[in-house]
Amino acid sequence: LSDLGVSALAALASAEGAFDNVLINLPDLTDASLGADLRRQAENHLREAREIAGRVRRKVDETLRSVPA
């Protein structure tokens, strides 16, 4: 179960890095409309990744904290 929690964090770190990469490369696009669309898509994907990672982490934390000491 702890591996699942760590995997959620690693996946989120990857999503954050991918988002940064999109932002870095947007200025190189010559089509502003395409750039705006790609940015919106990237923001949506990052928001979803954050939500999923948060749900996984909360469930892992809840489960692990319920284990008797």
Side-chain angles (χ1 to χ4, degrees), residues 53-66:
R55 284 196 309 263
V56 170
R57 284 300 319 170
R58 283 189 296 277
K59 186 62 176 174
V60 167
D61 289 347
E62 174 188 306
T63 304
L64 290 178
R65 290 174 194 278
S66 69

Side-chain angles (χ1 to χ4, degrees), residues 16-40:
E16 296 278 358
F19 180 74
D20 290 349
N21 209 0
V22 169
L23 294 181
I24 288 168
N25 288 297
L26 283 177
D28 294 335
L29 294 176
T30 56
D31 184 339
S33 176
L34 174 62
D37 185 49
L38 291 173
R39 182 183 184 123
R40 264 191 309 278

